[in-house]
Amino acid sequence: MLLLLLISSAFLLPWAGAGRIIGGKEVVPHSRPHMAFLKIKFVNQSGIHTSRCGGFLIRPDTMLSAAHCVAKRRIVNITVTLGAHNISVREQSQQRIPAARWVIHPKYSPVGYINDIVLLNLKTKAKINKNVKQIAFSGSNEGVTVGTKCRVAGWGRTAVEGRGSDVLMEVELKVQNDEPCKQLFHNYLRHSMMCVGDKNGKKTTYEGDSGGPFVCNQKAYGIVSRGVGTKPFPKVFTRISYFEPWIREQLRKFALQELPGSPSSD
Ligand SMILES: *[C@@H]1O[C@H](CO)[C@@H](O)[C@H](O)[C@H]1NC(C)=O
Ligand SMILES: *[C@@H]1O[C@H](CO)[C@@H](O)[C@H](O)[C@H]1NC(C)=O
């Protein structure tokens, strides 16, 4: 009996994870303390809806995400959860803070997801601790070479027909050259977007992962932006380095409005 159990579990184990992300795995809880979970309440003709996205903390009161996450007609409110692992539980480590305001890139276009970036300012500063930390982002002259493997995490769907994940999942994806994206997306712009993915199509980001950071050497270089239908490869991410001057300008404005004369932290 015991042997039978052992044998069957040995066969079952490899499948235990089969329904999970598209090729990713659960992260060690709280090992990605910059990750934020966004719950976006919005209204349309059929009533109130909730959508979810990822984001990441770059200052104790400021986050980055994808513009398409919030560029909905009428937003009721946005709640940001920091320090989370399982978002279905109210973990002690979690800090839930409403977004006070957000600035969508002035040239964002939903057609082609051009300039798909938004800065969100939180109502109160997050408490920085081992579960909640900011992450650095790439400067305007920092590139990442084709072939580099970077990581992207999210609470998005773990299967094409699945639901969002309770726990934070992560995949490693490679920076690609621009060709596969140019072919698939006629609005692809190489200066402000990056082409990313796993050529075998076994690993990918999916619905609900939008807005999360693409992290190479502990720095955010991209923001999960778009794909085509259920196609796992390639994906287009927002190239943060292109937007660095705009991000810095917004940060200065936030600082001026709220905390005149306060030192900026890095
Ligand atoms: C997350 O928490 C919920 C509620 O307690 C639980 O049902 C679920 O199994 C947890 N998910 C994982 C993957 O641990
Ligand atoms: C957001 O809106 C929902 C539904 O209207 C409400 O229950 C919730 O309290 C609101 N949250 C914040 C932070 O205002």
Side-chain angles (χ1 to χ4, degrees), residues 38-259:
L38 269 68
K39 212 167 168 179
I40 301 137
K41 278 224 160 81
F42 64 97
V43 186
N44 68 11
Q45 305 92 311
S46 61
I48 288 196
H49 303 268
T50 306
S51 65
R52 39 202 276 167
C53 266
F56 51 104
L57 204 63
I58 56 166
R59 289 291 180 277
D61 63 354
T62 311
M63 301 176 26
L64 279 176
S65 183
H68 78 263
C69 290
V70 302
K72 300 235 162 67
R73 266 162 286 169
R74 286 171 56 207
I75 290 188
V76 178
N77 60 35
I78 300 177
T79 309
V80 176
T81 305
L82 301 163
H85 182 62
N86 184 336
I87 43 140
S88 299
V89 186
R90 275 216 175 235
E91 298 158 323
Q92 287 285 309
S93 57
Q94 289 180 8
Q95 297 180 38
R96 290 192 187 184
I97 309 177
R101 60 209 153 122
W102 45 94
V103 184
I104 293 173
H105 193 279
K107 291 192 174 147
Y108 165 68
S109 165
V111 179
Y113 283 23
I114 294 163
N115 305 311
D116 193 10
I117 186 169
V118 63
L119 252 104
L120 292 101
N121 201 220
L122 304 178
K123 244 179 204 158
T124 55
K125 273 190 182 177
K127 286 187 199 77
I128 302 300
N129 58 33
K130 68 178 197 310
N131 300 315
V132 176
K133 286 195 175 89
Q134 53 206 41
I135 187 170
F137 53 93
S138 71
S140 47
N141 49 15
E142 282 178 293
V144 61
T145 49
V146 171
T148 307
K149 285 182 184 164
C150 310
R151 295 181 311 221
V152 57
W155 287 274
R157 287 192 190 179
T158 52
V160 171
E161 296 296 331
R163 49 187 282 275
S165 172
D166 287 330
V167 292
L168 186 60
M169 306 288 285
E170 187 174 73
V171 274
E172 192 177 73
L173 296 175
K174 254 188 202 171
V175 177
Q176 302 289 332
N177 66 35
D178 299 308
E179 281 316 309
C181 285
K182 270 197 213 151
Q183 281 168 23
L184 203 62
F185 305 87
H186 66 269
N187 284 311
Y188 182 78
L189 300 169
R190 59 190 304 265
H191 58 281
S192 61
M193 301 175 186
M194 57 203 292
C195 193
V196 171
D198 170 43
K199 278 201 173 112
N200 305 318
K202 296 219 172 82
K203 300 190 287 184
T204 186
T205 49
Y206 210 64
E207 223 183 293
D209 292 322
S210 286
F214 185 54
V215 178
C216 317
N217 308 317
Q218 346 279 1
K219 248 187 204 183
Y221 278 82
I223 302 174
V224 178
S225 176
R226 70 184 296 220
V228 169
T230 58
K231 229 174 152 45
F233 177 87
K235 297 282 168 167
V236 175
F237 291 177
T238 304
R239 188 185 290 277
I240 295 176
S241 60
Y242 177 78
F243 296 97
E244 192 224 17
W246 178 77
I247 296 169
R248 301 255 171 230
E249 189 193 323
Q250 302 312 309
L251 289 173
R252 274 194 298 276
K253 284 186 184 165
F254 286 162
L256 285 175
Q257 280 160 15
E258 277 185 349
L259 304 160

Side-chain angles (χ1 to χ4, degrees), residues 2-21:
L2 184 62
L3 187 66
L4 247 176
L5 270 174
L6 282 175
I7 290 171
S8 64
S9 65
F11 277 96
L12 281 171
L13 273 178
W15 299 99
R20 295 229 140 142
I21 216 175

